[in-house]
Amino acid sequence: MLGMLVGAQKKRSAVRSVRKDAKRIRIICVDDHRIFLSRLLSYVGELMPEAETVGFENPEEAISFAKEVGCDILFTEIELGGKPSGLLLARQIQEANPRVNLIFTTVCSPNEYAKEVMEIRPSGYLTKVVEMGEVEKALQSLLYAV
Amino acid sequence: MKITQNREAQKLTIALEGRLDTTTAPELEGSLGTVLKDVTELIVDMKDLEYISSAGLRVILKAQKVMFSQGKMTVTGVNESVMEVFEITGFADILNIQ
């Protein structure tokens, strides 16, 4: 398992590690608050230790990574750096892989971006502060098999 | 919960009194959704806040995210029990608490 990887400097090593085992489930977590990102990575790592789990604070790095090596499950905050960049991130990763499971872990109330979220059709929508039990339930009810 | 607002130009002080939980958090969220426009400095006075739940934390974090892009936010008067919640949840590292 890769463990927690955050930021551009570690991205290349992550890519190399993932390529060693192409069949592993690939999970990307994105949050602009490192403390929430670290916690989410910890939860996912514990719940799915067999998966390759990688974290990013920057959505553009996450998109590059996903396009390069693929993504089966994406956890992302909707509002990143003061903008709803998580929605754009979800759409772009979905375009690359229509069967990606999208799970929002967000500060936004469900009605705030309701139309956009419904169009994206995520597997889950978790409002912060996210607890491990909620992540577990979301992983148990994915739209697409991984 | 009682919410008191005091605005001086682009500085807004919001004083919270009582419990910020699942029942009362939507009220605060609704207030913040309309009053934060053009605010460059937000002070959240918690000296009379007795309790904060996960729902309340979400609203505070939402305010922090809004203010991150348009100014600054400071939380003041945090009592011991609320501070304990901030520390357990990691909010103590995110918020500017004075």
Side-chain angles (χ1 to χ4, degrees):
Chain A
M1 173 177 170
L2 279 174
M4 187 181 73
L5 292 171
V6 180
Q9 289 184 327
K10 292 184 177 178
K11 191 175 71 171
R12 291 189 181 282
S13 62
V15 173
R16 281 198 300 274
S17 297
V18 170
R19 281 175 177 163
K20 286 178 187 171
D21 187 349
K23 291 183 181 175
R24 290 182 80 176
I25 296 167
R26 291 161 185 159
I27 302 175
I28 295 177
C29 302
V30 183
D31 200 302
D32 55 352
H33 279 125
R34 184 167 292 201
I35 190 150
F36 294 128
L37 179 60
S38 300
R39 195 171 295 160
L40 181 60
L41 287 165
S42 165
Y43 293 163
V44 174
E46 193 168 327
L47 292 165
M48 295 188 73
E50 76 286 1
E52 300 281 3
T53 307
V54 187
F56 295 94
E57 291 174 89
N58 183 330
E60 289 169 5
E61 290 175 11
I63 288 170
S64 300
F65 184 84
K67 286 184 175 174
E68 193 167 352
V69 303
C71 174
D72 299 299
I73 303 170
L74 170 71
F75 287 88
T76 184
E77 166 63 274
I78 289 178
E79 292 203 343
L80 298 163
K83 292 182 244 176
S85 308
L87 293 172
L88 180 64
L89 167 69
R91 283 198 194 99
Q92 292 196 356
I93 291 183
Q94 201 172 43
E95 279 173 18
N97 173 17
R99 293 180 63 81
V100 65
N101 291 283
L102 304 168
I103 301 169
F104 292 112
T105 55
T106 181
V107 72
C108 301
S109 64
N111 58 355
E112 201 165 339
Y113 294 102
K115 184 172 177 287
E116 293 89 341
V117 168
M118 282 175 69
E119 284 171 357
I120 289 169
R121 203 164 170 254
S123 280
Y125 191 102
L126 311 177
T127 52
K128 287 177 176 168
V129 178
V130 176
E131 294 176 2
M132 188 166 173
E134 296 174 292
V135 174
E136 185 174 18
K137 281 183 185 171
L139 289 171
Q140 287 168 350
S141 52
L142 298 175
L143 277 179
Y144 305 106
V146 292
Chain B
M1 185 182 67
K2 184 178 173 186
I3 304 170
T4 307
Q5 298 178 23
N6 180 27
R7 179 150 185 174
E8 296 170 21
Q10 292 179 301
K11 177 181 174 181
L12 175 67
T13 301
I14 291 186
L16 306 177
E17 185 178 336
R19 296 170 62 86
L20 183 55
D21 55 21
T22 309
T23 309
T24 58
E27 182 188 352
L28 177 61
E29 186 170 25
S31 299
L32 292 173
T34 54
V35 299
L36 287 186
K37 190 182 177 189
D38 300 328
V39 170
T40 57
E41 184 178 0
L42 174 66
I43 296 171
V44 182
D45 181 352
M46 294 190 176
K47 74 174 185 299
D48 294 316
L49 185 68
E50 299 161 6
Y51 170 82
I52 188 165
S53 73
S54 176
L57 289 170
R58 185 184 67 77
V59 176
I60 296 298
L61 184 61
K62 174 75 179 172
Q64 196 269 350
K65 276 186 174 267
V66 172
M67 292 310 299
F68 178 79
S69 58
Q70 65 187 55
K72 64 176 181 178
M73 172 174 146
T74 306
V75 178
T76 62
V78 180
N79 71 26
E80 201 171 319
S81 62
V82 172
M83 182 58 88
E84 193 178 338
V85 174
F86 283 162
E87 284 171 353
I88 291 168
T89 56
F91 275 62
D93 296 327
I94 294 169
L95 300 174
N96 177 18
I97 302 171
Q98 291 184 358

